[in-house]
Amino acid sequence: MRLKRFYAAFLPVFIILLLSSCFQVIEEISLKNDGTGDVALTINLSQSRTKLASVMLLDSIQGYKVPSKAKLQQELNEAVAYLKKSEGISNVKSTSDFNNYVATITFSFKDVSNINNITKNILARQKIKGTNSSSYSYNKISKTFSRKYQAVSTAKTEFNKLKNQDKAVFNNATYTSIYRFESPVITTSNPASNLSKSKKAVMLKSSIIDLINGKVNVSNQIQLSK
Amino acid sequence: MKTAVEQNFITLNLSIMKKILIAISLIFIFNLAHAQDLVKKIPADAFAVATIKGDNVFKLMFVKDFNESFLGKKLLTQTSKSLEKEFTSIEDFGINLNKNMYYFNQVNDSITYNCFLIPLQDASKFEGLINNKNEKINTVNGIKTMVLPDSTGLMRWNDNTLYFVAGSIRSSFFADSAKSAQYGIKDIRYQNSYSEEAVTDSAVVDSTYSAEDYPAIPDVVTITEQPLKIQKKNSTQIKKKHHAVAAKPSKKKKAKKNTAKKATYKKKPVQPKEVEIDNYEADTVAKLPIEMETYTTDSVGESTGSYDEYLDYQNKRAEQEAKKKRLAIIWINAQADKIFNTEYESISSNKSYASSLDDKAIAELWVSSLQNAYSSIAPEFGTYGKANIMKGYGSLTAKLFMDQTSFRISTGLELAQEQVDSYKKIMNRKLNKDFLKYVDSEKAIGFMSYSIDTKAYLEEFPKLLKQAYGPILGTKMDDEMDLGADLLTLLLDEEAVSKVIKGDALFVVNGLTTKDVTYTTYDYDEDYNQTEVTKTKKETLPDFIFMFSSEDNRLINKLIKYGINKNRVSVNQNIYKIEEKKSPIDIYFMVKDGIVFFGSAFDEMQRISNNQFQGAISKQHKSLLANNNFTMLFNSKNLVGKIPDEELGGAENAQKLNSTLSKMGNLYIKSNPIKGNVVSGEISAEIPNGHENALKYLFSLIENASK
């Protein structure tokens, strides 16, 4: 009780220290020539772990309720359960590490288009508004993989509604996508993406703020050799 | 029908009025001594009084400086522009800037008056602010009066005093039909008139209704020019009045009656003129639901009809509101007559008010009694109002001081004797002087201390609890409250507890330390294969010491032993560490010389343990901590440049924050010792060097903020 009062009194100092935090979102898709493949999603908050540990001691911060570890685990479990029921999805696994604040979900798909609605629905279930509209497709015949991404204006509006101190949370947050293929890549349409030495992987790194503001587009049209 | 010219004049006047009011309130913020002080004009029963001391304000800032300040210029140019006159100094407003200006509030059961008493230097200059058209100004024996165009208040002045009063009728008063009936006012609700009108839709009822309702019978009390149009209602209202004296019907009941009454019209088109209220109620209330239903089906599909009904409802309501307004201005006028023309006992004879005054304050606020205040507004809270949760709380005072070094706001609250006795016992402890050795004023970013007598606290707590919550729970819970209090006393050995935790504690943030922390991230090879790697980064964490006095360490020692057995505590020499991996900060603790220490740095704990800790407390901090039961200090300057830029979201943000922090002086809050029946505290903010005084600093802040 007393400690809480002290926390409250020195909250300004703590808030200054909490101003910026980093997190990484990594999306890795390995696509086979027949159109099946695997996805690995990673959310890594480990760079902010001391701050998160402090935040977890509080009931709420900057007006947001701090979820308990149990609650976070439950949300992750729900996401897994949802994936298992989804069409074309199999082999769903998840890991969570609350010491380092890293969570991963991996699964296999029959067709890359199976992923399309998943992220959207999971986010909608979590009541996260205004995410991107994103879709994947693979044409087995022409051997083209494409990711279409359209920044949604509501995301930007919602983001702009946040207080500056809340926006700061996203300052150093990054989004990385890695696509792996069995055949070498001939061309990529997005100039921000890089091709690996083996020409079988494409990586695109961007800041989450740029994504929200629509400054960066992660759409990509990747042509594989036939 | 008003002519267009008249209309224009009213609109013009309204806008000018607004501007004058803004100007007055602006001046009021910065205003005004003693000879012939207007305080004599404030009635002894004023509920709240606010004072702005012109002479104290203009000691800090000459009128000339004010005129040349950003705010002053803005005020002058805007007034000049809106009144199409040239104002070069606030003295041109005709206000006496060297005297006190007052605001006071007077409340009774039916109306609330908000009043300003402003000393005038030059009444003709002041009149210059009110436009030249004198039509609206009444002059009687050299006293001029101007009623606000919307009739919500008036201004009255002579050569040396301006009195402005605005009144607002209290809705709770007129919600009481017995009272409002005295003034010929009725409570109009949409549903009432809605159903009323629905009934008139039917031709048979219509005639009856109007025949009954509109004979012009003289009103009971005639303040309004028009006699009231209701006769039957009048008679019922009079009856209701008697009824009300006996039982005070609630709003709800009244509303029901009204609706019910209309419903009955429908049922029995020919209603006897006089109805005994009690029978009437029993009869109609029982039938209400069914009749309401019938009525609904009746009116469905008559959308135009219901719009007319709504218009009619609005008209009726507006009519009642207009009556209230006319009544209010009559009352306001009478109040102004009293204030302006008569002698009466003034607030200065009120002991509580007189003792709240401080010559050095720039502005003061005094509220007569929280207990009374609560009772006076309680009717508007409905049932919750019945319990006076402010019981025992007396007058509240707040004073603003500005001087060469700081802004200071001090507040005081008068308490009932038994509360004061409790608090005096609780507050009868000073902070352990040994704590002061561990404060380094040069480095400290902040501290917070409190000292209470735990034993007295535990003994008085049940009493205070009962005082605070007893009224809310009502007398029904008295026995339970007593039982609870006794149980607590039985379970707790106050004496023993007070030996473990004596009741004084100090929390100091002596600085910030950087610490290497590890985190997980990923490296990618040339084929973008991911490998998990652990990297380190520096993080800044507050470096704190928390200490409290304890005479009896047996319990703490047992806790330590238990912690060690359960591997929750580790020990190094005599310093213990709490083994909690999730904690962002390492927490060490130890017991030494009757003090339990908690701290974030092992080496610091070691220095304390070996008597090598070098604290250096400033005189100011020492007296702050030693003399007050509760203190809090924040020294932002000691934070400047201590936090790495990258943790503040980049160099630009960091620079902004550091520049703000370096401009802020010490900020502190403290409680004062109880004096008489008054508990008080103050909050104080020092101004940075390079500013003449707090007022000028404030002006510079406003100027900067508006750039």
Side-chain angles (χ1 to χ4, degrees):
Chain A
M1 184 59 207
R2 255 169 220 156
L3 200 67
K4 232 179 206 174
R5 255 162 66 184
F6 285 122
Y7 267 122
F10 285 84
L11 204 61
V13 180
F14 282 102
I15 283 180
I16 289 167
L17 296 175
L18 288 166
L19 262 173
S20 68
S21 52
C22 315
F23 65 90
Q24 295 174 294
V25 178
I26 303 157
E27 173 197 75
E28 203 176 331
I29 298 175
S30 306
L31 188 74
K32 299 194 178 81
N33 282 339
D34 65 1
T36 65
D38 306 298
V39 174
L41 291 171
T42 308
I43 297 177
N44 177 2
L45 297 133
S46 129
Q47 280 200 60
S48 312
R49 77 184 170 107
T50 32
K51 283 162 194 168
L52 284 167
S54 321
V55 169
M56 298 287 268
L57 292 174
L58 302 167
D59 291 335
S60 63
I61 182 156
Q62 295 174 20
Y64 298 103
K65 181 128 185 66
V66 177
S68 65
K69 199 195 279 183
K71 179 81 184 150
L72 291 173
Q73 185 62 53
Q74 189 198 334
E75 307 254 320
L76 189 63
N77 293 344
E78 278 173 15
V80 170
Y82 170 75
L83 278 172
K84 283 182 176 165
K85 279 188 284 177
S86 301
E87 200 195 329
I89 305 295
S90 61
N91 209 15
V92 186
K93 282 175 201 155
S94 77
T95 65
S96 57
D97 170 357
F98 284 101
N99 282 325
N100 290 310
Y101 295 93
V102 180
T104 62
I105 295 182
T106 57
F107 58 88
S108 307
F109 56 84
K110 271 189 194 161
D111 188 292
V112 75
S113 63
N114 296 144
I115 313 172
N116 289 345
N117 288 320
I118 292 171
T119 5
K120 212 177 188 176
N121 289 343
I122 288 179
L123 291 173
R125 277 160 63 98
Q126 303 300 324
K127 299 185 185 71
I128 299 169
K129 276 189 270 173
T131 43
N132 59 66
S133 66
S134 164
S135 69
Y136 302 91
S137 61
Y138 176 65
N139 187 326
K140 278 183 243 177
I141 301 151
S142 62
K143 285 184 100 179
T144 43
F145 172 85
S146 87
R147 170 165 196 191
K148 283 192 183 130
Y149 172 89
Q150 175 70 53
V152 174
S153 57
T154 49
K156 195 177 170 179
T157 356
E158 288 291 320
F159 180 74
N160 285 331
K161 277 187 209 158
L162 294 176
K163 290 182 222 142
N164 277 334
Q165 60 201 35
D166 295 334
K167 283 184 191 165
V169 171
F170 296 90
N171 273 353
N172 297 312
T174 59
Y175 166 80
T176 308
S177 69
I178 301 166
Y179 307 124
R180 297 181 196 285
F181 307 97
E182 286 184 332
S183 313
V185 171
I186 302 173
T187 57
T188 60
S189 69
N190 192 324
S193 59
N194 296 311
L195 192 58
S196 74
K197 204 175 173 188
S198 66
K199 304 210 171 198
K200 285 182 178 172
V202 176
M203 175 151 68
L204 202 161
K205 252 188 177 176
S206 75
S207 99
I208 289 200
I209 289 221
D210 288 347
L211 265 182
I212 295 171
N213 287 326
K215 279 188 193 165
V216 165
N217 196 321
V218 290
S219 297
N220 214 347
Q221 181 96 17
I222 300 167
Q223 179 62 55
L224 307 177
S225 77
K226 286 175 189 171
Chain B
M1 191 68 201
K2 282 172 186 141
T3 65
V5 178
E6 267 174 334
Q7 286 281 12
N8 279 341
F9 175 71
I10 289 169
T11 341
L12 186 77
N13 240 341
L14 256 171
S15 76
I16 291 171
M17 253 1 270
K18 235 186 211 165
K19 278 169 192 156
I20 294 172
L21 281 177
I22 290 166
I24 289 176
S25 40
L26 262 172
I27 298 170
F28 193 66
I29 296 166
F30 308 103
N31 246 342
L32 310 199
H34 295 284
Q36 270 227 343
D37 197 286
L38 291 174
V39 72
K40 283 186 199 149
K41 287 278 160 204
I42 301 173
D45 65 347
F47 167 60
V49 179
T51 314
I52 293 188
K53 301 183 166 180
D55 55 343
N56 284 352
V57 172
F58 288 97
K59 252 181 230 166
L60 294 173
M61 184 173 221
F62 296 125
V63 171
K64 183 172 157 278
D65 293 339
F66 175 82
N67 293 335
E68 284 164 10
S69 72
F70 171 80
L71 259 183
K73 274 185 201 158
K74 195 159 185 172
L75 174 71
L76 290 169
T77 49
Q78 281 193 353
T79 325
S80 303
K81 214 165 141 191
S82 65
L83 295 177
E84 293 171 5
K85 266 184 192 168
E86 182 68 19
F87 293 98
T88 52
S89 167
I90 45 162
E91 285 171 327
D92 292 346
F93 298 153
I95 287 163
N96 188 334
L97 302 173
N98 293 314
K99 283 192 177 182
N100 291 352
M101 264 183 156
Y102 294 93
Y103 156 81
F104 67 91
N105 175 283
Q106 215 181 356
V107 183
N108 61 33
D109 64 345
S110 46
I111 189 165
T112 303
Y113 298 109
N114 286 303
C115 321
F116 292 84
L117 275 165
I118 295 158
L120 292 181
Q121 181 82 48
D122 186 336
S124 60
K125 280 186 180 169
F126 168 72
E127 281 159 29
L129 292 174
I130 322 176
N131 215 16
N132 349 353
K133 296 180 184 171
N134 286 334
E135 291 117 299
K136 283 270 174 182
I137 298 175
N138 278 322
T139 311
V140 180
N141 298 331
I143 296 172
K144 295 175 178 168
T145 303
M146 184 176 142
V147 177
L148 299 192
D150 63 353
S151 297
T152 54
L154 60 82
M155 278 208 265
R156 181 166 294 187
W157 67 97
N158 60 17
D159 287 342
N160 49 43
T161 307
L162 164 67
Y163 180 61
F164 172 83
V165 50
S168 57
I169 293 268
R170 298 184 58 176
S171 55
S172 60
F173 180 78
F174 286 106
D176 184 334
S177 60
K179 288 174 180 164
S180 54
Q182 291 177 16
Y183 299 101
I185 288 164
K186 55 178 177 172
D187 197 19
I188 301 276
R189 281 145 210 269
Y190 182 47
Q191 265 193 318
N192 295 356
S193 63
Y194 191 43
S195 45
E196 204 170 282
E197 295 308 309
V199 171
T200 56
D201 280 350
S202 136
V204 192
V205 181
D206 198 22
S207 57
T208 329
Y209 183 75
S210 44
E212 269 186 15
D213 254 30
Y214 293 93
I217 291 278
D219 197 2
V220 195
V221 181
T222 35
I223 313 170
T224 51
E225 302 90 40
Q226 309 157 282
L228 288 183
K229 290 173 188 162
I230 37 172
Q231 183 255 335
K232 178 167 172 287
K233 269 184 194 156
N234 249 337
S235 57
T236 38
Q237 261 166 358
I238 296 162
K239 278 183 194 291
K240 265 187 213 162
K241 198 177 158 188
H242 294 305
H243 188 68
V245 176
K248 285 211 167 186
S250 68
K251 282 187 193 178
K252 237 185 197 166
K253 207 171 164 189
K254 183 161 51 73
K256 245 186 203 166
K257 269 185 228 160
N258 283 343
T259 350
K261 182 167 55 187
K262 277 94 201 189
T264 321
Y265 285 146
K266 184 180 168 69
K267 179 96 185 177
K268 306 172 191 165
V270 186
Q271 185 81 20
K273 272 196 177 186
E274 297 289 330
V275 189
E276 270 309 313
I277 194 111
D278 290 335
N279 295 341
Y280 179 70
E281 219 180 329
D283 180 34
T284 53
V285 170
K287 286 171 188 152
L288 180 64
I290 313 155
E291 317 234 330
M292 286 301 284
E293 251 170 58
T294 344
Y295 140 70
T296 320
T297 42
D298 264 5
S299 63
V300 165
E302 290 197 74
S303 56
T304 47
S306 63
Y307 180 66
D308 287 343
E309 280 155 21
Y310 182 67
L311 278 184
D312 191 59
Y313 152 74
Q314 279 202 319
N315 287 336
K316 283 193 174 162
R317 214 187 136 83
E319 192 186 308
Q320 297 305 317
E321 289 304 312
K323 277 187 200 168
K324 285 188 202 171
K325 255 189 169 177
R326 283 198 293 272
L327 183 58
I329 196 71
I330 291 171
W331 285 347
I332 290 168
N333 211 16
Q335 198 257 13
D337 281 346
K338 186 187 166 205
I339 300 291
F340 224 83
N341 304 332
T342 61
E343 292 290 320
Y344 45 86
E345 197 183 1
S346 90
I347 193 81
S348 43
S349 64
N350 181 317
K351 265 189 195 161
S352 163
Y353 174 75
S355 64
S356 78
L357 303 174
D358 190 316
D359 285 346
K360 287 177 184 147
I362 272 194
E364 290 170 331
L365 170 72
W366 173 86
V367 179
S368 65
S369 152
L370 292 188
Q371 184 177 332
N372 295 348
Y374 189 83
S375 321
S376 82
I377 53 167
E380 274 145 39
F381 290 159
T383 42
Y384 288 104
K386 283 180 189 150
N388 195 332
I389 53 165
M390 285 292 168
K391 197 174 164 218
Y393 292 98
S395 69
L396 176 84
T397 57
K399 285 171 259 187
L400 170 68
F401 300 87
M402 289 186 193
D403 58 22
Q404 280 64 37
T405 56
S406 65
F407 296 97
R408 189 155 59 87
I409 295 170
S410 79
T411 55
L413 179 61
E414 231 173 34
L415 296 177
Q417 196 55 48
E418 45 185 313
Q419 275 168 305
V420 172
D421 293 342
S422 290
Y423 279 111
K424 272 189 179 159
K425 282 181 205 157
I426 293 170
M427 307 274 261
N428 188 23
R429 182 177 298 284
K430 294 251 189 272
L431 197 71
N432 187 337
K433 285 213 165 73
D434 289 339
F435 288 175
L436 305 180
K437 290 194 276 192
Y438 306 105
V439 177
D440 187 343
S441 296
E442 286 291 305
K443 274 165 50 188
I445 291 165
F447 57 70
M448 182 168 161
S449 78
Y450 75 88
S451 47
I452 58 164
D453 184 328
T454 306
K455 184 168 169 265
Y457 178 71
L458 292 172
E459 285 168 353
E460 300 298 324
F461 181 68
K463 286 189 218 165
L464 291 169
L465 204 66
K466 199 181 161 191
Q467 272 171 2
Y469 296 103
I472 298 174
L473 299 172
T475 46
K476 273 184 283 178
M477 295 290 279
D478 269 1
D479 291 345
E480 285 86 345
M481 296 278 293
D482 278 341
L483 195 66
D486 286 348
L487 254 170
L488 192 71
T489 318
L490 187 76
L491 289 172
L492 286 177
D493 180 346
E494 288 92 352
E495 181 77 37
V497 176
S498 72
K499 280 190 172 151
V500 180
I501 299 166
K502 291 188 74 173
D504 54 342
L506 173 66
F507 179 85
V508 195
V509 178
N510 267 331
L512 299 167
T513 40
T514 39
K515 198 178 139 191
D516 285 329
V517 290
T518 57
Y519 66 95
T520 307
T521 184
Y522 310 95
D523 272 350
Y524 298 94
D525 63 14
E526 48 193 22
D527 264 335
Y528 302 155
N529 291 310
Q530 184 174 303
T531 39
E532 195 175 297
V533 288
T534 303
K535 291 186 178 172
T536 60
K537 64 174 198 165
K538 289 202 184 306
E539 261 185 17
T540 314
L541 294 166
D543 198 355
F544 75 89
I545 309 175
F546 171 66
M547 50 205 125
F548 68 89
S549 305
S550 175
E551 267 174 18
D552 182 351
N553 300 331
R554 285 173 302 177
L555 179 71
I556 294 165
N557 287 333
K558 274 186 189 165
L559 273 171
I560 294 173
K561 218 170 153 185
Y562 176 82
I564 293 175
N565 285 338
K566 296 276 170 192
N567 292 324
R568 301 301 283 270
V569 173
S570 64
V571 60
N572 185 351
Q573 294 160 20
N574 55 340
I575 299 163
Y576 304 94
K577 184 182 177 195
I578 297 174
E579 292 295 333
E580 172 57 63
K581 280 177 195 152
K582 301 288 148 27
S583 172
I585 311 173
D586 290 338
I587 297 176
Y588 300 91
F589 68 96
M590 67 174 176
V591 186
K592 181 180 151 53
D593 306 333
I595 302 175
V596 179
F597 290 90
F598 284 84
S600 55
F602 180 76
D603 51 349
E604 206 161 66
M605 295 298 269
Q606 243 179 343
R607 284 198 291 275
I608 294 172
S609 170
N610 303 333
N611 296 320
Q612 287 167 336
F613 189 94
Q614 296 209 322
I617 189 166
S618 69
K619 262 190 188 166
Q620 192 201 10
H621 289 175
K622 197 172 180 171
S623 75
L624 184 65
L625 285 167
N627 299 327
N628 301 293
N629 289 84
F630 176 85
T631 66
M632 213 181 118
L633 174 122
F634 178 58
N635 184 352
S636 55
K637 268 188 211 121
N638 284 349
L639 202 55
V640 175
K642 299 278 165 62
I643 305 168
D645 291 358
E646 56 268 29
E647 281 193 46
L648 295 171
E652 196 186 329
N653 276 352
Q655 203 198 339
K656 260 190 215 163
L657 185 76
N658 283 332
S659 114
T660 312
L661 290 174
S662 64
K663 276 185 196 151
M664 285 165 60
N666 278 338
L667 177 81
Y668 64 83
I669 301 173
K670 66 169 188 175
S671 68
N672 295 325
I674 297 175
K675 258 190 212 164
N677 276 5
V678 178
V679 288
S680 61
E682 62 181 53
I683 176 164
S684 171
E686 288 173 357
I687 60 166
N689 293 335
H691 293 272
E692 212 174 308
N693 61 50
L695 183 63
K696 288 194 171 173
Y697 175 60
L698 180 69
F699 270 70
S700 73
L701 282 182
I702 294 170
E703 188 164 350
N704 280 331
S706 56
K707 268 177 191 167

